[in-house]
Amino acid sequence: MKTIWHNGIIYTMLKEGETVEAVLIEDGTVIEVGTLDMLRTQADNDVDLRGAVMYPGFIDSHMHMIGHGSRLLQLDLSYATSAEDMLGRLKEAAADHIEGEWFIADGWNENNFADSRIVTRSELDTISASPMFLKRTCRHTALANSKALELAGITRDTPDPDNGTIVRDDSGEATGLLLEGAGDLVEAVIPVPDEAALTHALQVSVEDLLARGITGAVTDDLGYYADYRDPLQAFRNVIGEEKIKFRAHLLRRSTVFQLLMDDKATYDEPWIHGGEMKFFIDGSLGGKTALLSKPYSDDPENSGMAVLTNEEIQNNIALARKYNVAVAVHTIGDKAVEKVLDAIEANPPLEGKRDRIIHVNVLSAELVDRLEKLPVILDIQPVFVSSDFPWAEDRLGKDRLDWAYAWKKLIDRGFICGGGSDAPVEEVNPLLGIYAAATRRKPGETHEGYLPEEKLSRYESVALFTSGSAATIDKADSRGKIAKGFDADFTILDRDLLTVDSEDMLKAKTVMTVVAGEIMYKGK
């Protein structure tokens, strides 16, 4: 059965401004684009767009799909405006909490508080006697109350782990603030969600993504829940031909990678794909754990931290190469990028493979020159600009801003760049990412933008989440554009993101989300 889509603005994303009158699809694939008169005689079915705007299906190049679903199901602290507001929200939620069960929440960000005050363990103790574990928005820092610390065996005598810090007060007692691997000590004693719970969270997540016009995502979930088996089965339970159609590219954490290889784990193309080996080198700029080559401007005794040794980085890459798999590496600070480049240059991927460098918030001209010589793609999060500024300048100082959040220069240099949200670290809404890439400011602000020379055009901004993200998963010839032979994945909105006023971009509503030619979401 051939279906024609017409009577709207249809952007091919093959080149800037290119539109077509109609698209003809069959069996989940675009078989022709052109004029309505040319294609309508071939069609068996007709979809009238009624003036809506069709784009290639939006793809989020980096997120945590199960984590996003869990965030939707639990207390979200990202809207707290002060430490007191955060405590009030926790107290309200604790009133309905089952005593003795773990109280889990995330999203807090002291950079959104006027005084940047971080809640303490003793304040959490007044809210609940149940163990509490609250992840910061970056997920590289956490807060725990006394009960949680007790269950994790953390006392004043507990040494810091090699990859983290137990923050202590002047008397040596833990404040409840746990940096990087120190949080793992608590997470290790929190009951792991079972397959049913993970399936529920993933279903909630996928339904939300489709409602936002997202047709696919690169997601980091395998390795967060004991091992890979339950989360992978959750993907199989939710996504598939006879289930919910969605494209999931699964990164494989280094902690479970060998097990995945030994078990010869299988996926379910074209819906579920096994992707690169994922690991972290550093933390976050907001939490001052991103690894910098020089100390933080607002914390001269601190240059961040590496969560892996050079030998561990090299071993991870060697293991991936053994199975002809590329790596996907979290690097926010310039020193972290330097470490991964050293390792990749010494052991590059086999021909045809590209390593994924995630975030690259802080670079230098020398690092960019080195990156340019390697088969890499860059996985960027435009929304970090609106989230991190203006305090990012305090962290880095003006002398390091030339190559900070430098999306425009990177694209102009010819790098393959995909746009992601890093949800649930940030909001998953792709409109926020597109807006941030084009305006370099927070919604509602009216200034010219943070580092305005790095603004992208509207076309480039949308391309990050369409053709750019498709190219990062080696699908440049089949996804991310509306053209003959490409997957019939479409995001259909009620307004034109390439021409409306900046603030109106954020008001766009999803009319339909189409995956492989099937309408998976239809707006009311």
Side-chain angles (χ1 to χ4, degrees):
M1 298 284 283
K2 298 176 181 178
T3 301
I4 189 171
W5 300 70
H6 67 97
N7 192 28
I9 300 171
I10 302 174
Y11 282 107
T12 66
M13 296 305 292
L14 290 168
K15 59 184 179 181
E16 186 163 3
E18 181 177 274
T19 61
V20 293
E21 282 189 0
V23 178
L24 189 67
I25 70 170
E26 183 179 30
D27 296 330
T29 303
V30 175
I31 59 172
E32 197 62 75
V33 298
T35 65
L36 179 59
D37 288 342
M38 179 180 74
L39 300 181
R40 74 189 330 165
T41 57
Q42 304 176 49
D44 304 300
N45 295 314
D46 176 290
V47 178
D48 186 341
L49 294 173
R50 300 180 183 276
V53 187
M54 177 189 282
Y55 311 85
F58 290 167
I59 304 167
D60 191 309
S61 71
H62 182 68
M63 66 172 302
H64 309 265
M65 287 175 62
I66 294 176
H68 174 59
S70 298
R71 176 84 165 263
L72 294 173
L73 292 169
Q74 66 189 23
L75 178 62
D76 180 359
L77 294 171
S78 63
Y79 299 101
T81 57
S82 66
E84 289 68 30
D85 181 28
M86 175 175 163
L87 290 166
R89 292 168 186 260
L90 290 168
K91 185 175 182 179
E92 182 178 352
D96 297 322
H97 185 73
I98 300 173
E99 186 176 349
E101 291 192 358
W102 279 86
F103 186 114
I104 308 293
D106 67 14
W108 62 272
N109 184 357
E110 78 284 0
N111 291 312
N112 293 336
F113 305 165
D115 60 1
S116 299
R117 187 173 78 79
I118 296 176
V119 169
T120 65
R121 169 179 60 104
S122 58
E123 288 176 303
L124 296 180
D125 291 345
T126 67
I127 291 172
S128 177
S130 297
M132 299 182 74
F133 188 67
L134 315 174
K135 284 191 174 182
R136 191 181 182 276
T137 182
C138 63
R139 296 195 150 201
H140 291 268
T141 299
L143 284 166
N145 69 353
S146 295
K147 187 62 177 179
L149 295 175
E150 176 191 331
L151 292 174
I154 297 175
T155 69
R156 63 181 298 124
D157 299 320
T158 303
D160 289 340
D162 292 338
N163 62 344
T165 302
I166 302 167
V167 178
R168 305 168 199 270
D169 60 23
D170 293 340
S171 68
E173 294 289 349
T175 66
L177 185 63
L178 305 168
L179 307 182
E180 296 297 339
D184 296 343
L185 302 176
V186 177
E187 287 205 79
V189 299
I190 299 175
V192 177
D194 61 13
E195 179 191 323
L198 296 174
T199 297
H200 178 51
L202 183 61
Q203 176 136 0
V204 169
S205 177
V206 173
E207 290 171 353
D208 183 66
L209 298 179
L210 290 168
R212 297 174 184 274
I214 299 172
T215 61
V218 179
T219 183
D220 178 16
D221 296 285
L222 303 187
Y224 275 101
Y225 307 97
D227 65 33
Y228 79 85
R229 295 179 181 88
D230 282 351
L232 179 55
Q233 188 57 47
F235 277 91
R236 296 190 187 111
N237 294 342
V238 174
I239 296 171
E241 182 67 34
E242 302 300 325
K243 300 159 191 170
I244 301 177
K245 289 185 176 179
F246 188 86
R247 318 275 189 183
H249 181 95
L250 308 186
L251 301 181
R252 295 173 280 191
R253 290 289 297 274
S254 59
T255 53
V256 297
F257 183 83
Q258 185 64 66
L259 184 59
L260 282 157
M261 296 300 108
D262 291 344
D263 289 352
K264 296 181 172 56
T266 58
Y267 305 92
D268 185 13
E269 292 281 6
W271 315 114
I272 305 171
H273 173 73
E276 302 92 327
M277 175 205 274
K278 164 72 186 295
F279 59 91
F280 293 79
I281 288 183
D282 66 346
S284 73
L285 201 63
K288 298 184 185 178
T289 57
L291 186 64
L292 302 179
S293 57
K294 297 178 182 178
Y296 283 84
S297 295
D298 58 354
D299 190 0
E301 302 301 315
N302 176 26
S303 297
M305 61 177 64
V307 297
L308 295 179
T309 65
N310 291 340
E311 183 179 7
E312 288 169 331
I313 295 168
Q314 293 160 5
N315 288 344
N316 279 344
I317 290 179
L319 179 59
R321 303 300 191 235
K322 176 181 176 181
Y323 293 96
N324 192 22
V325 173
V327 294
V329 190
H330 169 113
T331 56
I332 286 185
D334 58 339
K335 188 65 177 179
V337 177
E338 180 183 328
K339 284 177 176 289
V340 76
L341 290 182
D342 289 346
I344 292 174
E345 287 167 349
N347 194 350
L350 295 181
E351 187 173 351
K353 296 288 184 179
R354 292 181 182 272
D355 291 323
R356 178 181 297 267
I357 314 298
I358 304 170
H359 305 315
V360 291
N361 290 36
V362 186
L363 292 169
S364 67
E366 179 188 0
L367 291 174
V368 173
D369 289 343
R370 292 174 65 186
L371 280 165
E372 211 166 26
K373 296 179 176 67
L374 294 172
V376 297
I377 61 94
L378 304 182
D379 197 340
I380 65 176
Q381 290 66 48
V383 74
F384 281 5
V385 173
S386 51
S387 296
D388 293 2
F389 281 84
W391 58 256
E393 184 173 341
D394 297 332
R395 297 280 192 277
L396 299 173
K398 290 186 178 180
D399 62 325
R400 282 185 282 196
L401 293 182
D402 281 352
W403 280 103
Y405 305 76
W407 319 143
K408 178 65 174 174
K409 285 201 285 285
L410 292 170
I411 288 174
D412 287 348
R413 289 280 285 263
F415 285 99
I416 296 172
C417 295
S421 64
D422 204 11
V425 171
E426 300 285 350
E427 289 191 49
V428 79
N429 186 356
L431 299 177
L432 289 170
I434 294 169
Y435 173 90
T439 68
R440 305 281 296 192
R441 62 178 184 251
K442 296 176 174 64
E445 292 181 336
T446 57
H447 57 78
E448 63 176 345
Y450 299 108
L451 309 179
E453 66 277 7
E454 294 296 334
K455 287 181 184 178
L456 302 186
S457 69
R458 295 289 184 88
Y459 171 76
E460 290 170 326
S461 301
V462 173
L464 282 177
F465 291 84
T466 53
S467 57
S469 285
T472 72
I473 55 174
D474 198 26
K475 298 292 183 182
D477 296 328
S478 59
R479 291 180 202 156
K481 300 172 185 174
I482 298 178
K484 184 175 180 178
F486 278 64
D487 291 331
D489 296 352
F490 311 132
T491 298
I492 302 168
L493 305 180
D494 67 352
R495 63 197 69 198
D496 188 342
L497 299 179
L498 279 73
T499 62
V500 297
D501 291 340
S502 295
E503 300 306 310
D504 282 343
M505 295 167 66
L506 299 174
K507 298 175 183 176
K509 304 295 182 186
T510 306
V511 176
M512 282 184 278
T513 305
V514 181
V515 182
E518 185 174 338
I519 299 171
M520 299 308 301
Y521 172 83
K522 191 168 186 177
K524 298 178 181 178

